[in-house]
Amino acid sequence: MSESNNTVTVETVKKIARLSRLHVEEDRLTHLADEMNGILAWIEQLGEVDVEGVEPMTSAVEMPAPMRADVITDGGVRDKVLANAPKTEAGYFVVPRSVE
Amino acid sequence: MTDLTALTLEAALAGLKARDFSSVEITKAHIDACMEGADLNAFITTDFDNALEAAKASDAKLAKGEGGALEGAPIGIKDLFCTENVKTTAGSKILGAFKPPYESTVTANMKADGMVMLGKLNLDEFAMGSSNETSAFGSVVNPWKPNGENDVELVPGGSSGGSAAVVAANMCLAATATDTGGSIRQPASFTGTVGIKPTYGRCSRWGIVAFASSLDQAGPITRTVKDSAIMLQSMAGYDPKDSTSINKDLPDFSAACERSIKGLRIGIPKEYTMDGMPGEIDDLWQQGIAWLKDAGAQIVPVSLPHTKYALPAYYIVAPAECSSNLARYDGMRYGVRVDGEDLNDTYELTRAAGFGKEVRRRIMIGTYVLSAGYYDAYYLQAQKVRTRIAEDFTNAWETCDALLTPTAPSAAFPIGRPVNDPVTMYLNDIFTVTANLAGLPGISVPAALDKDGLPLGLQIIGRALDEETVFAAGAALEKAAGFTAKPKKWWV
């Protein structure tokens, strides 16, 4: 692998936390960067493996993706779908405003 | 009267069928045992009232000479399986009081076969852990204690710690579990129980809370190899609702347990050892080799050269899949919501409050290895190494039919043991994770007690779809080991 061992900075942690939609307190950033660097340093050893011409393994079962007829097989259960929602109104999910 | 909680699942089913005792009787006996064992913290949710109703219904069927393969047997379900109208938490706070409006295929199969469900069992949060300490509902306590150290509380292993604990402590006849990197086999090893992870695709993943979809697989934890065969027969089977479900008839797993292993070629992979591993584990492995040889197997040395890369590859693939699977917990459609200043703030606060430390760590690592600029270096490289690991096994199958290895590099360790860095905890799965990466079946069978009186397991790994050989060799190990030790009931 081309990356060196300390690629994760406080700025990287902020960016990754943002992408992960995880709130991280400022005073945790350095610790998290160290922790991630530790794990990634251990993972670096994968770079030793000769993978020339090797196909990536994307599935643990050797079979083509099954197809089915494009027909409706389930549904019409609105109340069940809404039953666990933190907020609902008149048969809808209620979510925070996302367009200003 | 015999202690109904001490029966094997096989014996209990025979007794129920013969009407030696009723399902209500054996269910009540187990409910009492569960209440006595409350200090083990093995359940997140109990469902005793419904269990008694189900037991009555089973008795009605049994009285008519009817009933399925698990009719009337009280069983525990890992709280990762969605169960209709029964709270399902995945060991996390983020799901709140989530009550699934549907039933997982595995538990639906078992209910159709007459299972009596006692409740939902504790686990590491989203099955991410090897000690059950990451559960938002507290650690499960291992029923086993080190000799003479009654004050020490040990972990039951993880992530299926509750499942392993209730089976070891005779609180359930058997339990369901899941295994993404060793979460069935390592806790089985830590508690003196049997656990099998079948071939990827044998059990439907539909309705099981997802962690890493290309690795997750359900299986049972039981007290005997035969009991695991009975459970798996009910749990497994083709399901069109899971696109990775294998559409093949199931072999007769129980019959496979009776098979002779004469002439079977057992491979011994020289790479399955670790620095600092107790000598006893190596000795037990040698003992296992001798047992299988005595039973007529042929022992073949094999090499799986990429073994040391399995865990690092796993810690890219699994967090990557975890980060995308767990994106669904956004506080909008189910679970807990923490209101913030705007939508993104709400997402971030909800997820930071709902997920525990280990889950957040894995989401972050997964997001990092999938992010622009790192995808090829980490994720793609790991997928290629995964191919190499699978090839190692394919090559081994040219000279052997199954592999014998230790299950875990240690016995159960104390709850709260200081762990300096996450990688130390990850090493628990060093001997089990390869079978997940390659999609192969693996069983852990209790083989001996160590010098502290704690159980240790041995593992058999087989070819894809060849659980029969795994059961046959597992049963041979079980017979030779004659492991009958039980933990002292200090919790009563």
XYZ file of all heavy atoms in Angstrom, chain B residues 220-262:
326
model
N -26.420 -22.548 15.002
C -26.830 -22.815 16.382
C -25.665 -22.903 17.370
O -24.527 -23.141 16.969
C -27.481 -24.201 16.261
C -26.694 -24.870 15.168
C -26.239 -23.784 14.222
N -25.979 -22.711 18.653
C -25.088 -23.116 19.742
C -25.876 -24.110 20.593
O -27.036 -23.857 20.936
C -24.612 -21.909 20.574
C -23.659 -21.049 19.722
C -23.897 -22.373 21.859
C -23.088 -19.837 20.430
N -25.257 -25.254 20.865
C -25.943 -26.353 21.543
C -24.973 -27.065 22.486
O -23.806 -26.696 22.562
C -26.455 -27.393 20.524
O -25.318 -27.902 19.812
C -27.438 -26.795 19.531
N -25.482 -28.109 23.151
C -24.596 -28.844 24.059
C -23.965 -30.066 23.402
O -23.013 -30.619 23.939
C -25.365 -29.227 25.332
C -25.706 -27.981 26.164
C -26.084 -28.312 27.578
N -27.437 -28.816 27.695
C -28.512 -28.048 27.906
N -28.378 -26.735 28.013
N -29.705 -28.580 28.011
N -24.513 -30.530 22.283
C -23.898 -31.667 21.584
C -23.854 -31.383 20.073
O -24.569 -30.509 19.569
C -24.699 -32.974 21.784
O -25.965 -32.834 21.116
C -24.931 -33.290 23.253
N -23.023 -32.155 19.391
C -22.913 -32.016 17.937
C -24.245 -32.390 17.283
O -24.725 -31.706 16.374
C -21.756 -32.889 17.404
C -21.720 -32.885 15.886
C -20.416 -32.384 17.971
N -24.852 -33.456 17.782
C -26.137 -33.900 17.229
C -27.207 -32.818 17.386
O -28.013 -32.579 16.474
C -26.561 -35.191 17.958
C -27.798 -35.870 17.423
C -27.545 -36.559 16.104
C -28.700 -37.440 15.663
N -28.863 -38.658 16.467
N -27.197 -32.158 18.544
C -28.163 -31.070 18.762
C -27.966 -29.944 17.743
O -28.937 -29.338 17.273
C -28.022 -30.501 20.181
C -28.628 -31.417 21.250
O -29.153 -32.479 20.887
O -28.563 -31.052 22.442
N -26.699 -29.676 17.404
C -26.435 -28.640 16.395
C -26.998 -29.074 15.041
O -27.516 -28.252 14.282
C -24.933 -28.372 16.269
O -24.524 -27.386 17.187
N -26.873 -30.366 14.753
C -27.414 -30.889 13.487
C -28.931 -30.720 13.444
O -29.497 -30.300 12.425
C -27.025 -32.358 13.326
N -29.583 -31.014 14.563
C -31.053 -30.888 14.623
C -31.470 -29.427 14.436
O -32.391 -29.116 13.681
C -31.583 -31.434 15.980
C -31.328 -32.942 16.087
C -33.062 -31.102 16.169
C -31.538 -33.512 17.493
N -30.759 -28.550 15.116
C -31.080 -27.119 15.006
C -30.851 -26.602 13.585
O -31.693 -25.905 13.010
C -30.192 -26.315 15.970
C -30.637 -26.355 17.417
S -32.030 -25.233 17.742
C -31.167 -23.650 17.775
N -29.689 -26.936 13.021
C -29.363 -26.407 11.694
C -30.356 -26.895 10.645
O -30.725 -26.156 9.729
C -27.928 -26.780 11.309
C -27.416 -26.133 10.023
C -27.423 -24.611 10.115
C -26.003 -26.624 9.686
N -30.798 -28.151 10.812
C -31.778 -28.706 9.874
C -33.036 -27.833 9.819
O -33.635 -27.661 8.761
C -32.157 -30.129 10.328
C -32.729 -30.988 9.226
C -31.636 -31.594 8.352
O -30.638 -32.069 8.863
N -31.818 -31.586 7.049
N -33.411 -27.289 10.970
C -34.605 -26.441 11.018
C -34.309 -25.012 10.557
O -35.101 -24.399 9.838
C -35.157 -26.428 12.447
O -36.248 -25.543 12.546
N -33.158 -24.481 10.943
C -32.827 -23.082 10.648
C -32.545 -22.840 9.160
O -32.878 -21.793 8.612
C -31.575 -22.663 11.442
C -31.748 -22.647 12.940
S -30.157 -22.475 13.828
C -29.718 -20.769 13.427
N -31.888 -23.808 8.518
C -31.365 -23.605 7.165
C -32.432 -23.844 6.099
O -33.533 -24.305 6.389
C -30.175 -24.528 6.937
N -32.064 -23.544 4.864
C -32.954 -23.805 3.734
C -33.074 -22.605 2.817
O -32.844 -21.464 3.235
N -33.421 -22.890 1.599
C -33.511 -21.855 0.563
C -34.590 -20.832 0.883
O -35.677 -21.185 1.342
C -33.795 -22.500 -0.797
C -34.024 -21.485 -1.891
C -33.022 -20.596 -2.242
C -35.246 -21.417 -2.555
C -33.235 -19.652 -3.244
C -35.456 -20.480 -3.562
C -34.451 -19.592 -3.898
O -34.657 -18.656 -4.872
N -34.269 -19.582 0.628
C -35.218 -18.496 0.855
C -35.088 -17.478 -0.274
O -34.068 -16.799 -0.384
C -34.909 -17.838 2.203
C -35.826 -16.647 2.479
O -36.849 -16.492 1.774
O -35.516 -15.874 3.397
N -36.089 -17.376 -1.104
C -36.003 -16.406 -2.208
C -35.852 -14.963 -1.737
O -35.449 -14.101 -2.520
C -37.320 -16.610 -2.982
C -38.162 -17.507 -2.160
C -37.331 -18.145 -1.109
N -36.137 -14.691 -0.452
C -36.022 -13.313 0.033
C -34.565 -12.911 0.330
O -34.294 -11.763 0.626
C -36.876 -13.127 1.289
C -38.360 -13.047 0.932
C -39.213 -12.621 2.104
C -39.440 -13.760 3.064
N -40.549 -13.548 3.993
N -33.635 -13.881 0.273
C -32.214 -13.580 0.432
C -31.527 -13.978 -0.869
O -31.463 -15.156 -1.212
C -31.642 -14.371 1.621
C -30.122 -14.253 1.736
O -29.491 -13.566 0.908
O -29.574 -14.863 2.673
N -31.010 -12.977 -1.598
C -30.458 -13.273 -2.925
C -29.174 -14.089 -2.855
O -28.686 -14.560 -3.877
C -30.207 -11.968 -3.689
O -29.213 -11.221 -3.023
N -28.602 -14.270 -1.663
C -27.416 -15.123 -1.542
C -27.764 -16.478 -0.915
O -26.872 -17.242 -0.551
C -26.318 -14.445 -0.698
O -26.841 -14.162 0.605
C -25.836 -13.153 -1.341
N -29.050 -16.751 -0.776
C -29.481 -18.037 -0.222
C -29.226 -19.146 -1.247
O -29.487 -18.976 -2.436
C -30.975 -17.948 0.096
O -31.477 -19.202 0.465
N -28.691 -20.263 -0.779
C -28.350 -21.366 -1.685
C -29.585 -22.226 -1.959
O -30.222 -22.717 -1.023
C -27.231 -22.236 -1.079
C -25.938 -21.411 -0.990
C -27.003 -23.495 -1.902
C -24.865 -22.058 -0.177
N -29.876 -22.391 -3.240
C -31.064 -23.155 -3.634
C -30.696 -24.623 -3.861
O -30.639 -25.096 -4.985
C -31.672 -22.532 -4.890
C -33.055 -23.087 -5.178
O -33.526 -23.979 -4.469
N -33.687 -22.581 -6.216
N -30.377 -25.300 -2.763
C -30.047 -26.733 -2.836
C -30.721 -27.435 -1.679
O -30.875 -26.867 -0.592
C -28.524 -26.916 -2.696
C -27.741 -26.493 -3.926
C -26.496 -27.368 -4.070
C -25.887 -27.242 -5.446
N -25.068 -26.042 -5.595
N -31.104 -28.691 -1.897
C -31.729 -29.458 -0.827
C -30.742 -29.643 0.319
O -29.535 -29.754 0.103
C -32.155 -30.837 -1.342
C -33.349 -30.719 -2.280
O -34.040 -29.677 -2.220
O -33.569 -31.649 -3.071
N -31.283 -29.672 1.541
C -30.414 -29.868 2.696
C -30.130 -31.347 2.879
O -31.034 -32.172 2.801
C -31.098 -29.356 3.966
C -31.339 -27.854 4.093
C -32.000 -27.559 5.428
C -30.042 -27.082 3.963
N -28.862 -31.694 3.150
C -28.573 -33.081 3.494
C -29.122 -33.389 4.891
O -29.531 -32.480 5.612
C -27.050 -33.151 3.484
C -26.536 -31.768 3.452
C -27.672 -30.834 3.164
N -29.130 -34.645 5.266
C -29.579 -35.046 6.596
C -28.402 -34.864 7.562
O -27.512 -35.713 7.652
C -30.036 -36.515 6.554
C -30.601 -36.974 7.892
O -30.292 -36.353 8.927
O -31.335 -37.986 7.899
N -28.395 -33.723 8.275
C -27.256 -33.398 9.137
C -27.117 -34.388 10.299
O -26.003 -34.737 10.698
C -27.375 -31.961 9.672
C -27.332 -30.901 8.597
C -28.267 -29.868 8.567
C -26.337 -30.914 7.617
C -28.221 -28.881 7.585
C -26.278 -29.922 6.632
C -27.227 -28.915 6.620
N -28.254 -34.814 10.862
C -28.175 -35.764 11.993
C -27.540 -37.073 11.563
O -26.718 -37.642 12.284
C -29.563 -36.023 12.564
O -30.037 -34.883 13.234
N -27.924 -37.544 10.370
C -27.352 -38.806 9.871
C -25.841 -38.665 9.703
O -25.084 -39.608 9.971
C -28.003 -39.187 8.542
N -25.416 -37.459 9.306
C -23.981 -37.238 9.084
C -23.188 -37.388 10.380
O -22.016 -37.781 10.359
C -23.754 -35.861 8.480
N -23.836 -37.084 11.513
C -23.144 -37.211 12.810
C -22.776 -38.660 13.120
O -21.902 -38.922 13.941
C -24.015 -36.661 13.945
S -24.391 -34.915 13.800
N -23.473 -39.598 12.503
C -23.234 -41.024 12.778
C -22.199 -41.614 11.824
O -21.803 -42.779 11.962
C -24.538 -41.844 12.626
C -25.782 -41.224 13.255
C -25.707 -41.201 14.773
O -25.009 -42.055 15.344
O -26.340 -40.299 15.365
N -21.787 -40.829 10.840
C -20.855 -41.341 9.838
C -19.491 -41.691 10.404
O -18.971 -40.959 11.242
C -20.616 -40.240 8.810
C -21.398 -40.366 7.562
C -20.783 -39.418 6.565
N -21.798 -38.978 5.631
C -21.590 -38.050 4.712
N -20.411 -37.440 4.621
N -22.552 -37.700 3.891
N -18.905 -42.751 9.880
C -17.528 -43.079 10.253
C -16.584 -42.094 9.566
O -16.872 -41.598 8.478
C -17.222 -44.504 9.791
O -15.823 -44.691 9.725
N -15.455 -41.816 10.222
C -14.471 -40.946 9.568
C -13.269 -41.776 9.103
O -12.199 -41.235 8.833
C -14.034 -39.771 10.458
C -13.371 -40.257 11.741
C -15.219 -38.860 10.770
C -12.488 -39.171 12.371
N -13.474 -43.072 9.035
C -12.397 -43.953 8.569
C -11.973 -43.524 7.154
O -12.806 -43.378 6.269
C -12.893 -45.412 8.556
C -11.772 -46.422 8.706
C -12.254 -47.732 9.337
C -12.182 -47.635 10.846
N -12.816 -48.710 11.561
